[in-house]
Amino acid sequence: MKYVITGASGKTGKVAAEKLLEAGQEVVVVGRKAEGLQSLVEKGASAAIGDLTDEDFLTKTFAGVDAVYAIIPPIWSITESWRAYQRRVGTAITNAIENAGVKHVVILSSMGSQLAPFGAGPVSGLGEWEQQLQNVPGLNVLALRPGFFMENLYAYIPQIKGQGAFGDSLHADLKVPFVHTKDIGEAAAKQLLALDFKGFSREFVSGNRDYTIQEAAKILGEAINLPALQYIQYPSDAAKEGMISAGVPAPIAEGYTELWKGLNSGKYLADFVRTPENTTQTSLDDFAKEFTAVYQNS
């Protein structure tokens, strides 16, 4: 079988590519820079260097493959709206999949993507992309819908170091599925190896259990020797202005503000169901060891 992995230098794409290579599959890894793909090339992958907004490049790369793992990578330096960026990338990938005659695609979406076109910031953009892919004739689409990335907690390190606490507008007592990106990549590889999905389907990736952000603060605080570490819940407008003043582009800050509002409302997780099949292994206690290493070297 032959696969293409987009965003292969990223966290989920790299893991998915490694698992497919370990299984003896032919893998083409896509990235903007060759150096980001070198470790995968050394393991047997072929590299395709190009941009995910380049439909012609993607069409050529997707030609003759059995399946694609497709993502819209996050970007932190945009001045256009986040949704406009997502539409540019999503449209290029979708058109290339149709042009190349690909029959199976696994995409990285998110819990909350049912809130499309609005209601969950960038996650609503992923919901739009799910709908767009469903319009490709004969395409079988599986949307992975993971919970909150554990690695997103790295963004709070400057606050913790500067203030001894961290905060946002997410409700402190709201239980949320936290998931490690490694487990998402492994879930993607599992689906790609099976290729037993038809039409449109979704698969939640749920982490080992749900946590509140206050629980996360306690676990991380103990790991970094700040046992009194607290999470502070801010009003939405204050949290948004805090992000912007810290250098986050306004479109990104506005997107996250809408996402937190969707979570806080309960609508974001309204259709989520945890099962033994979508419960993954890595806990926040496991992740805390990685967080500590990053914290100490920041």
Side-chain angles (χ1 to χ4, degrees):
M1 302 284 278
K2 184 176 181 180
Y3 300 92
V4 170
I5 308 295
T6 67
S9 60
K11 295 184 181 297
T12 71
K14 184 175 182 180
V15 171
E18 288 173 340
K19 292 297 179 182
L20 292 173
L21 289 167
E22 289 171 9
Q25 306 302 313
E26 184 178 356
V27 179
V28 178
V29 290
V30 177
R32 287 179 296 172
K33 297 180 179 180
E35 53 266 33
L37 304 173
Q38 185 58 36
S39 65
L40 293 170
V41 171
E42 291 172 358
K43 294 177 180 179
S46 301
I49 309 303
D51 195 285
L52 293 182
T53 61
D54 186 339
E55 185 178 318
D56 290 339
F57 160 72
L58 292 174
T59 298
K60 293 174 184 175
T61 303
F62 294 165
V65 305
D66 295 285
V68 172
Y69 177 56
I71 70 169
I72 299 177
I75 190 167
W76 308 108
S77 60
I78 60 173
T79 54
E80 65 182 328
S81 77
W82 201 340
R83 187 63 56 83
Y85 160 74
Q86 289 178 304
R87 285 171 177 156
R88 283 197 298 117
V89 177
T91 296
I93 293 173
T94 301
N95 289 346
I97 283 171
E98 183 169 8
N99 294 342
V102 176
K103 296 303 180 186
H104 287 84
V105 60
V106 174
I107 70 164
L108 180 58
S109 186
S110 175
M111 293 181 189
S113 57
Q114 78 279 2
L115 297 179
F118 302 106
V123 170
S124 292
L126 296 176
E128 277 195 14
W129 189 33
E130 289 183 12
Q131 295 168 4
Q132 185 179 27
L133 286 161
Q134 290 177 63
N135 292 325
V136 177
L139 179 63
N140 302 298
V141 182
L142 186 140
L144 287 180
R145 292 184 175 182
F148 187 89
F149 288 11
M150 293 179 184
E151 288 88 341
N152 287 342
L153 294 166
Y154 290 140
Y156 296 118
I157 287 177
Q159 283 189 56
I160 296 171
K161 289 205 163 187
Q163 305 169 23
F166 69 99
D168 220 315
S169 58
L170 184 68
H171 286 174
D173 60 353
L174 177 68
K175 283 192 172 290
V176 177
F178 279 74
V179 61
H180 198 290
T181 53
K182 172 179 67 68
D183 295 338
I184 300 168
E186 290 178 355
K190 179 180 177 181
Q191 296 291 345
L192 289 165
L193 288 168
L195 288 188
D196 56 359
F197 52 92
K198 300 293 182 184
F200 174 80
S201 56
R202 64 186 185 181
E203 180 72 28
F204 293 113
V205 189
S206 305
N208 77 311
R209 69 174 179 88
D210 298 351
Y211 301 82
T212 68
I213 193 72
Q214 195 64 270
E215 285 182 277
K218 184 177 188 302
I219 292 168
L220 297 180
E222 290 176 351
I224 62 175
N225 202 29
L226 287 176
L229 181 65
Q230 292 291 312
Y231 170 81
I232 302 168
Q233 182 182 330
Y234 295 117
S236 289
D237 288 345
K240 182 176 74 173
E241 291 307 314
M243 283 188 278
I244 293 172
S245 65
V248 176
I252 303 295
E254 290 163 2
Y256 270 112
T257 299
E258 184 181 305
L259 190 156
W260 299 146
K261 286 180 178 178
L263 269 165
N264 290 338
S265 73
K267 295 178 181 178
Y268 189 99
L269 296 175
D271 71 340
F272 165 62
V273 177
R274 179 181 292 280
T275 67
E277 290 73 28
N278 65 38
T279 296
T280 51
Q281 185 173 4
T282 309
S283 69
L284 265 179
D285 294 275
D286 298 327
F287 170 73
K289 300 170 187 176
E290 300 173 29
F291 185 90
T292 299
V294 174
Y295 180 85
Q296 290 174 343
N297 289 299
S298 297

